[in-house]
Amino acid sequence: MNIVVLVKQVPDTETKIKIKADGSGIETDGIKWVMNPYDEYAVEEALKIKEAGKADEVTILSMGPDRAIEAIRTGLAMGADKAIHVKVDSLDGMDALTTAQALAKGLDGVEYGLIVCGKQAMDDDQSAVPAMLCELLGIPQVTVVSKVEVGEGTVTVNRDIEGGAKMVIEAPLPALVAATKGLNEPRYASLPGIMKAKRKPVDVKNFADLGVEPVSKTEIIGWSLPDERAAGKVINTGDREQNVKELVRLLREEAKVI
Ligand SMILES: Cc1cc2nc3c(=O)[nH]c(=O)nc-3n(C[C@H](O)[C@H](O)[C@H](O)COP(=O)(O)OP(=O)(O)OC[C@H]3O[C@@H](n4cnc5c(N)ncnc54)[C@H](O)[C@@H]3O)c2cc1C
């Protein structure tokens, strides 16, 4: 069985995001790009399933511009066997549906028994691509999974739900499962892994050749950052007892939290 892992390259969560002066998007200069953290769990899980003898191959599938190859190589360095890069000049003007359509086309002619992905991409947080992709492929999906067991023609997963309870779901293969934190502990790529990754095959499919019309059903009409936080207040009356009284007064009268 081949396991396909969806990998998206996103800005590092440490990146300080800046909005373009005209408000049309984010400044991409100076951004450090990484594999979406939830996709690291997806790659790790696929590798563990293969190591347990329940899959023969792990294929990374990513849609993105040239730079997405870095996230793809990270997956290959962790241990995936090969990759498909659906290449786009830019993600601008492409919403989740266009992304899902392109990923579905990218899988044309590819045999797979399981698709593993992250539950959400850390940049746009839509959690929309997996469901749309499954609809297009006609396969079941289970999201927010914290345990995966591949059986004979089925996959059984745990979903964490309200109040610490777990829901156990079984789906026939092929299916898609979307990983959440706690599914596993993603491995670091080893130095030999990084060297080997450079020679692993990456099938490049140009978005323009896939026959997908980028007809976004949604449009981003504005971007804004949260309001700057007001500066903190230092209470220093010179008297400890007065400091406490002043703090209590501020919490009661200004912050209105007590
Ligand atoms: C710089 C920038 C500009 C953008 N401009 C626009 C715009 O102009 N108009 C617009 O509508 N949208 C725009 N987007 C949004 C972009 O198209 C979304 O990132 C896309 O629709 C996927 O949604 P998501 O990131 O929320 O993925 P989610 O649905 O949250 O992703 C869940 C999982 O799906 C998989 N996945 C998602 N995307 C990919 C991918 N590309 N390749 C492989 N696997 C993937 C991953 O496993 C991921 O963990 C922009 C995004 C960026 C970063």
Side-chain angles (χ1 to χ4, degrees):
M1 176 174 81
N2 178 27
I3 302 180
V4 171
V5 186
L6 306 183
V7 164
K8 185 181 183 190
Q9 194 192 38
V10 297
D12 190 341
T13 48
E14 303 276 307
T15 301
K16 192 147 177 31
I17 298 292
K18 290 191 205 121
I19 308 277
K20 285 184 188 164
D22 64 1
S24 64
I26 59 167
E27 293 279 3
T28 50
D29 288 349
I31 283 183
K32 183 180 170 211
W33 297 94
V34 297
M35 179 189 292
N36 176 36
Y38 288 109
D39 298 348
E40 291 182 13
Y41 297 111
V43 175
E44 176 64 32
E45 198 59 24
L47 295 174
K48 280 173 66 181
I49 296 168
K50 182 183 162 189
E51 285 160 4
K54 294 180 175 171
D56 314 299
E57 263 191 329
V58 174
T59 305
I60 303 287
L61 169 61
S62 184
M63 179 174 110
D66 285 337
R67 60 173 161 71
I69 190 68
E70 293 156 27
I72 292 172
R73 293 274 176 221
T74 301
L76 294 173
M78 285 171 77
D81 301 286
K82 55 190 178 126
I84 302 166
H85 182 178
V86 175
K87 217 183 250 191
V88 284
D89 294 335
S90 150
L91 290 174
D92 284 1
M94 293 187 183
D95 66 1
L97 181 58
T98 310
T99 303
Q101 283 172 325
L103 293 176
K105 287 279 183 192
L107 284 176
D108 267 358
V110 177
E111 273 183 52
Y112 58 87
L114 183 67
I115 300 178
V116 194
C117 65
K119 72 167 175 134
Q120 70 195 85
M122 295 297 264
D123 51 359
D124 299 300
D125 280 336
Q126 296 186 89
S127 293
V129 170
M132 291 179 178
L133 178 62
C134 285
E135 184 65 23
L136 293 168
L137 296 175
I139 62 171
Q141 64 140 359
V142 194
T143 54
V144 200
V145 307
S146 55
K147 188 175 171 198
V148 177
E149 267 174 28
V150 174
E152 281 301 315
T154 59
V155 61
T156 307
V157 304
N158 280 12
R159 296 187 77 233
D160 293 339
I161 52 173
E162 276 298 292
K166 289 203 189 301
M167 183 191 272
V168 182
I169 297 183
E170 187 183 271
L173 296 176
L176 176 147
V177 297
T180 191
K181 200 174 169 183
L183 174 61
N184 52 47
E185 198 56 53
R187 69 194 69 187
Y188 288 106
S190 63
L191 192 57
I194 294 169
M195 301 310 288
K196 270 194 216 158
K198 293 181 182 161
R199 294 188 301 275
K200 290 184 178 174
V202 179
D203 184 7
V204 177
K205 300 187 179 186
N206 284 311
F207 178 86
D209 303 331
L210 295 178
V212 177
E213 273 295 310
V215 280
S216 290
K217 304 276 187 208
T218 57
E219 184 191 354
I220 296 175
I221 53 172
W223 297 72
S224 62
L225 292 174
D227 293 337
E228 290 264 333
R229 274 208 202 166
K233 243 180 207 167
V234 178
I235 303 166
N236 191 0
T237 63
D239 177 84
R240 203 186 293 172
E241 204 171 311
Q242 280 306 315
N243 285 349
V244 173
K245 281 188 179 156
E246 179 60 1
L247 174 63
V248 172
R249 187 189 70 76
L250 289 172
L251 288 173
R252 183 169 292 148
E253 293 175 12
E254 282 194 12
K256 296 190 185 350
V257 291
I258 56 171

